[in-house]
Amino acid sequence: MNDDLRALIRTIPDFPKPGIQFRDITTLLLDADGLAACVERMVAATDGPVDLVAGIEARGFLFAAALAVPLRAGVLLIRKDGKLPGATIAEDYALEYGQDRITIHADACAPGARVLLVDDLIATGGTARAAVRLLRKAGATVRQAQFVVDLPELGGADRLRADDIEVSALLSFAGH
């Protein structure tokens, strides 16, 4: 399924470090028909109306904006700390060696807003899970997350499901 999209995603071995098989979606983004098909399929997988499509920095912004138009929803940017002007709310999360923080504008999400979380790829799920916590802290209703690529061996989609999120991805790739 979605073999046409799979053919548009380049694998770069040993990037950013030895043993990693980097799934490069920039080749998908360069293909107008492939990108259109990707967006159409993600829209079709969306369950019910949404008020906002939240994109995780940075590639998630591209898909969030593309999905928001046909879904007639706004776009909410989830950014790394220090990138948004004005008042923000934040969520800290663990990295392999340390901590990171993501933020949204404090007024970006009305309580009860139905939010679809979107990113290009789900790996371990750390950032996506932090994004769900952040959105819920803001009062959003987050029930679903969509990704172009899932790396199931890393367990991120399963961790999101354990957080009561319906997860879908157009493609999955073995390995990391």
Side-chain angles (χ1 to χ4, degrees):
M1 191 170 180
N2 294 317
D3 287 338
D4 57 334
L5 300 181
R6 181 180 304 279
L8 296 172
I9 296 174
R10 172 174 50 190
T11 299
I12 300 174
D14 299 319
F15 182 84
K17 61 184 183 177
I20 302 294
Q21 298 293 311
F22 187 83
R23 307 306 175 170
D24 180 17
I25 61 140
T26 62
T27 47
L28 169 66
L29 295 172
L30 287 167
D31 187 281
D33 292 335
L35 179 58
C38 180
V39 171
E40 288 166 8
R41 293 170 197 175
M42 291 176 83
V43 167
T46 301
D47 181 22
V50 296
D51 301 308
L52 296 168
V53 182
I56 299 172
E57 187 169 341
R59 290 177 300 270
F61 296 170
L62 303 170
F63 292 99
L67 292 171
V69 174
L71 292 172
R72 307 221 19 98
V75 176
L76 189 155
L77 303 180
I78 299 173
R79 305 257 0 228
K80 295 181 184 209
D81 193 31
K83 299 289 186 178
L84 291 171
T88 60
I89 58 174
E91 183 69 25
D92 295 325
Y93 62 103
L95 297 171
E96 188 175 355
Y97 299 104
Q99 291 277 116
D100 210 348
R101 174 179 280 197
I102 54 173
T103 63
I104 62 173
H105 277 123
D107 61 355
C109 180
R114 299 165 295 185
V115 178
L116 167 64
L117 181 65
V118 174
D119 205 357
D120 67 318
L121 184 138
I122 178 91
T124 64
T127 306
R129 293 181 74 210
V132 168
R133 290 191 306 272
L134 178 59
L135 292 164
R136 288 178 172 167
K137 185 188 300 186
T141 300
V142 187
R143 297 185 310 107
Q144 56 188 323
Q146 292 190 30
F147 305 91
V148 178
V149 174
D150 178 18
L151 303 178
E153 291 176 30
L154 296 178
D158 288 337
R159 288 182 188 96
L160 273 178
R161 288 182 188 103
D163 292 338
D164 200 28
I165 299 294
E166 178 185 320
V167 179
S168 64
L170 296 177
L171 301 161
S172 64
F173 285 93
H176 336 23

